[in-house]
Amino acid sequence: MQLTDSHGRKINYLRLSVTDRCNMRCFYCMPKEGILKKGHDAILSYEELYLIAEISVAMGIEKIRITGGEPLVRAGIVAFLGKLAEITGLRHLALSTNGLLLADMAASLYSAGVQRLNVSLDSLDTTTFAEITRGGDLNRVLAGLDAAERVGFPPPKINVVIMKGINDAEILAFAEMTRKRGNSVRFIEYMPVLKEDGWQRYCISGEEILERIAGRYTLEQVDKGRFAGPSRDFRIPGALGAIGIITAVSGHFCSDCNRIRVTSTGQTKGCLFSDEKTDLTPLLRPPDREELTKALQGIVSGKAERHGITQAGYVHKNFTMSQVGG
Ligand code: SAM
């Protein structure tokens, strides 16, 4: 079955958040004090999350990415992933993690049937990394990357949020990583999520990132795979890993959008920056398959053609990526 939105985009990708809790406090993602802890009832149970996943696949979703918060901090995550991996019709099961717990969990994630890992890593310098994450240990993340490959995963994709004056001096070091380690690296434009004046000061466009890399290396364009989503991909000739640019803010993004999101509290959204969302919890308690299908279909067909964050009059939404499932 094929799922298409009202702008003709094929929607085959669900980002499913399993928790809003995180064991890091990246300054651009979460307030220092963390977010207000939700009661157990507010967070969907694994049975409820599974039902959403299963219905989505029946509707035409082919790829599910488990995200959060930090998905590896939720108890029982490995067993849940094992169940998801068995859904008939699901072609691709991926997980986003900050990598802190990966060294210990890589083997069980691989056995559970997770196919790909994305690891968020914003600096290769221990001090800058600790500053961005407010205390994170870079060496644990690097050990997690090594462990993932040792147990059989393809080299995890690295997601780097580039912020002017914070880590933009490391753009070339990350590009070099695609040659040295074979990881693909995706540079993500910083997006305004925390309600913060002057967020533009961190912004560097994907074009500028590319120009800086092209100043040192030759870049060849890479054909996108069927699950690639809205990144533009390049490769330094001979490098094992690719270099991707996600220009979420400056453009070239929405026309390739292939995703919907469901948060750990059961809110489903067609666009990260849209206010439009549907609360699935009343349809899950007790579960109503037909209504859940209708609600998910409604989110797909109601997907906006593009986000409006760079347009005049955009009203800043106050949310954290950890709540929406970045
Ligand atoms: N804990 C997991 C991880 O670290 O990948 C999954 C959740 S995390 C919220 C998902 C991604 O959102 C991370 O790569 C993070 O860097 C990104 N992110 C969070 N806030 C962002 C922002 N303001 N702009 C751009 N990316 C952001």
Side-chain angles (χ1 to χ4, degrees):
M1 199 174 153
Q2 182 146 320
L3 203 52
T4 310
D5 74 5
S6 44
H7 308 284
R9 294 172 295 204
K10 180 178 173 191
I11 308 301
N12 62 354
Y13 178 15
L14 167 67
R15 294 178 71 97
L16 185 59
S17 174
V18 295
T19 181
D20 56 357
R21 297 190 183 184
C22 191
N23 50 358
M24 287 213 216
R25 291 282 176 276
C26 298
F27 81 91
Y28 60 85
C29 182
M30 263 189 158
K32 197 176 359 197
E33 61 286 3
I35 47 163
L36 212 57
K37 284 198 172 128
K38 299 211 165 59
H40 275 304
D41 275 2
I43 300 295
L44 299 188
S45 68
Y46 281 131
E47 290 72 23
E48 290 165 341
L49 289 165
Y50 178 84
L51 185 59
I52 291 168
E54 198 222 318
I55 290 174
S56 303
V57 173
M59 286 167 56
I61 293 292
E62 299 173 295
K63 167 174 172 178
I64 296 180
R65 173 174 302 285
I66 298 303
T67 180
E70 171 50 38
L72 299 188
V73 301
R74 182 158 176 184
I77 186 70
V78 173
F80 172 64
L81 290 163
K83 278 202 76 184
L84 288 187
E86 285 169 8
I87 296 177
T88 308
L90 178 63
R91 302 176 65 129
H92 200 100
L93 178 61
L95 174 97
S96 285
T97 173
N98 60 30
L100 271 188
L101 299 174
L102 193 52
D104 292 337
M105 297 179 72
S108 46
L109 294 171
Y110 189 71
S111 312
V114 175
Q115 289 155 291
R116 282 215 72 122
L117 299 173
N118 278 10
V119 174
S120 301
L121 174 57
D122 295 332
S123 176
L124 297 169
D125 173 85
T126 43
T127 308
T128 310
F129 184 81
E131 278 167 11
I132 292 175
T133 57
R134 297 196 182 104
D137 180 352
L138 173 65
N139 288 323
R140 281 177 66 189
V141 180
L142 296 177
L145 290 177
D146 290 339
E149 286 192 55
R150 226 176 15 249
V151 303
F153 280 108
K157 251 189 206 166
I158 308 294
N159 283 334
V160 193
V161 178
I162 291 291
M163 293 159 286
K164 198 179 277 174
I166 307 279
N167 63 352
D168 61 316
E170 295 187 56
I171 290 174
L172 293 180
F174 276 108
E176 186 60 22
M177 200 174 177
T178 65
R179 300 203 316 153
K180 284 216 177 104
R181 292 191 51 118
N183 300 85
S184 289
V185 171
R186 283 195 316 192
F187 295 98
I188 301 172
E189 290 179 343
Y190 166 77
M191 296 178 245
V193 287
L194 295 177
K195 197 167 183 141
E196 186 193 12
D197 287 339
W199 59 271
Q200 290 90 344
R201 72 183 179 279
Y202 296 126
C203 293
I204 299 193
S205 70
E207 285 312 317
E208 184 178 340
I209 295 170
L210 267 185
E211 274 166 26
R212 289 208 206 172
I213 300 172
R216 163 81 70 87
Y217 301 101
T218 304
L219 287 178
E220 46 194 36
Q221 198 131 3
V222 173
D223 276 345
K224 289 169 49 140
R226 62 193 254 111
F227 298 118
S231 76
R232 283 186 295 151
D233 296 334
F234 303 85
R235 189 182 300 277
I236 300 170
L240 290 173
I243 291 174
I245 307 282
I246 303 201
T247 50
V249 176
S250 68
H252 312 290
F253 181 80
C254 304
S255 61
D256 287 334
C257 186
N258 59 350
R259 62 194 58 185
I260 55 171
R261 296 180 140 81
V262 176
T263 73
S264 56
T265 56
Q267 310 300 311
T268 177
K269 277 178 100 147
C271 172
L272 186 58
F273 295 103
S274 152
D275 269 342
E276 266 172 53
K277 54 186 178 191
T278 303
D279 183 4
L280 299 178
T281 43
L283 314 176
L284 285 159
R285 303 174 179 175
D288 184 333
R289 255 194 118 82
E290 209 171 300
E291 288 302 316
L292 280 165
T293 306
K294 273 195 215 151
L296 288 164
Q297 261 156 358
I299 280 295
V300 169
S301 55
K303 264 175 79 73
E305 187 168 11
R306 56 161 303 161
H307 68 61
I309 57 177
T310 47
Q311 282 160 12
Y314 170 72
V315 180
H316 210 121
K317 317 279 185 312
N318 197 15
F319 65 90
T320 73
M321 290 290 234
S322 61
Q323 289 165 317
V324 183

